[in-house]
């Protein structure tokens, strides 16, 4: 399983047949207004790009929860409140810019061939319904070495109180046969979309390189809600 996920880099399975685990709370019909903030610095040494859909009402329950999540993912060291998104993004932008410059200089001092150090971060509002909102965080970076890194993670917030959801979305299904059937269905669909059509358990077993096709491991990355169902990401 691990070798397959590495070679494919990122596998996303949208479980179309799983009902949305909607939160039984009062519906909040008001949309979460956002402003897209950015920090960019590009030269012959570094390439830094931060793009962030930041909540305008960062003092509301859900707005504060989203802002807290963004601040945590950026590093968790900002101490000047969450209302001013520009200040927060500039703080981390300057910090990351300094780190990239230092990494580039260390390689040069070590006699290595100069390479552009880059880091691209994005926080995107992917889905919003009357009851929940989902964000997608993506990070791409190269800080020296043989290759760069890419990670992607979604997170869902309940609009009524800002509660953040991850593995809780599937907790009631973890020990049932239903979840494994849905994983098999999603993986077969994924490989078929990659022009590797498979329709039998044995074919899927060979693709995943696992012993028990009826016990597919869940991804460590938390699932999140989309408009079609629950999204799983293997990376």
């Amino acid at each position: 399983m691990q070798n397959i996920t590495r070679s494919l880099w990122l596998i996303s399975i949208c479980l179309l047949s799983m009902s949305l685990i909607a939160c039984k709370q009062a519906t909040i019909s008001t949309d979460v207004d956002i402003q897209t903030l950015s920090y960019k610095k590009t030269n012959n040494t570094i390439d830094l790009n931060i793009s962030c859909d930041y909540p305008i009402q960062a003092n509301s329950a859900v707005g504060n929860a989203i802002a807290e999540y963004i601040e945590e993912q950026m590093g968790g060291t900002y101490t000047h409140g969450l209302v001013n998104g520009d200040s927060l993004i500039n703080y981390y932008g300057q910090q990351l810019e300094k780190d990239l410059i230092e990494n580039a200089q260390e390689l040069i001092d070590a006699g290595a061939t100069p390479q552009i150090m880059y880091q691209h971060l994005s926080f995107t509002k992917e889905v919003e319904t009357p009851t929940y909102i989902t964000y997608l965080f993506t990070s791409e970076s190269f800080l020296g070495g043989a290759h760069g890194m890419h990670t992607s993670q979604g997170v869902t917030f309940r609009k009524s109180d800002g509660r953040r959801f991850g593995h809780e979305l599937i907790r009631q299904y973890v020990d049932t046969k239903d979840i494994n059937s849905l994983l098999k269905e999603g993986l077969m669909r994924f490989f078929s979309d990659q022009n590797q059509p498979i329709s039998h358990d044995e074919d899927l077993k060979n693709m995943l390189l696992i012993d028990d096709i009826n016990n597919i491991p869940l991804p460590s990355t938390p699932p999140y809600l989309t408009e079609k169902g629950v999204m799983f990401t293997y990376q």
Side-chain angles (χ1 to χ4, degrees):
M1 180 74 167
Q2 201 160 10
N3 291 334
I4 289 293
T5 57
R6 285 177 180 171
S7 64
L8 291 173
W9 200 5
L10 184 68
I11 301 178
S12 294
I13 309 169
C14 191
L15 303 178
L16 299 177
S17 58
M18 178 178 283
S19 299
L20 291 180
I21 307 175
C23 309
K24 296 182 174 70
Q25 295 284 331
T27 296
I28 305 299
S29 59
T30 304
D31 288 345
V32 177
D33 295 326
I34 58 99
Q35 53 184 334
T36 301
L37 307 176
S38 63
Y39 187 101
K40 298 180 181 180
K41 181 68 175 182
T42 304
N43 54 36
N44 59 356
T45 304
I46 68 169
D47 178 8
L48 173 62
N49 191 332
I50 303 172
S51 178
C52 177
D53 288 345
Y54 202 85
I56 294 175
Q57 290 85 24
N59 57 349
S60 67
V62 66
N64 183 75
I66 294 169
E68 277 187 348
Y69 171 75
I70 292 170
E71 200 276 327
E72 288 172 9
Q73 294 300 113
M74 293 291 289
T77 60
Y78 183 75
T79 59
H80 301 290
L82 301 173
V83 175
N84 190 335
D86 279 309
S87 175
L88 186 149
I89 297 302
N90 285 334
Y91 168 82
Y92 283 112
Q94 292 169 11
Q95 191 176 90
L96 291 172
E97 180 182 341
K98 178 176 177 290
D99 292 343
L100 288 175
I101 291 173
E102 290 179 353
N103 285 339
Q105 189 60 50
E106 285 178 4
L107 284 179
I108 293 173
D109 292 344
T113 302
Q115 300 181 71
I116 293 178
M117 302 288 107
Y118 72 81
Q119 188 148 17
H120 297 171
L121 304 175
S122 69
F123 297 87
T124 308
K125 183 174 79 169
E126 288 289 297
V127 179
E128 182 170 9
T129 75
T131 55
Y132 69 85
I133 181 169
T134 292
Y135 262 66
L136 185 64
F137 167 59
T138 302
S139 171
E140 296 183 27
S141 63
F142 176 74
L143 305 176
H147 53 77
M149 296 182 63
H150 175 102
T151 61
S152 181
Q153 178 176 314
V155 61
T156 297
F157 303 89
R158 185 160 62 195
K159 293 177 72 175
S160 61
D161 58 4
R163 179 180 172 183
R164 189 188 306 181
F165 287 87
H167 289 293
E168 301 94 331
L169 292 170
I170 59 168
R171 182 173 294 159
Q172 67 190 89
Y173 297 96
V174 169
D175 295 325
T176 69
K177 294 181 179 179
D178 293 339
I179 191 69
N180 199 79
S181 297
L182 290 167
L183 285 170
K184 284 199 293 185
E185 177 187 333
L187 284 164
M188 286 181 179
R189 186 165 55 250
F190 171 82
F191 285 117
S192 294
D193 290 343
Q194 303 298 312
N195 296 319
Q196 302 179 75
I198 55 176
S199 56
H200 302 290
D201 284 4
E202 195 62 30
D203 295 333
L204 182 59
K205 180 179 177 180
N206 293 333
M207 293 295 292
L208 299 179
L209 303 177
I210 60 176
D211 295 327
D212 187 0
I213 197 64
N214 294 311
N215 190 25
I216 299 174
L218 290 167
S220 58
T221 302
Y224 58 95
L225 290 178
T226 72
E227 292 175 314
K228 295 180 179 179
V230 178
M231 181 72 79
F232 285 165
T233 303
Y234 287 92
Q235 55 187 342

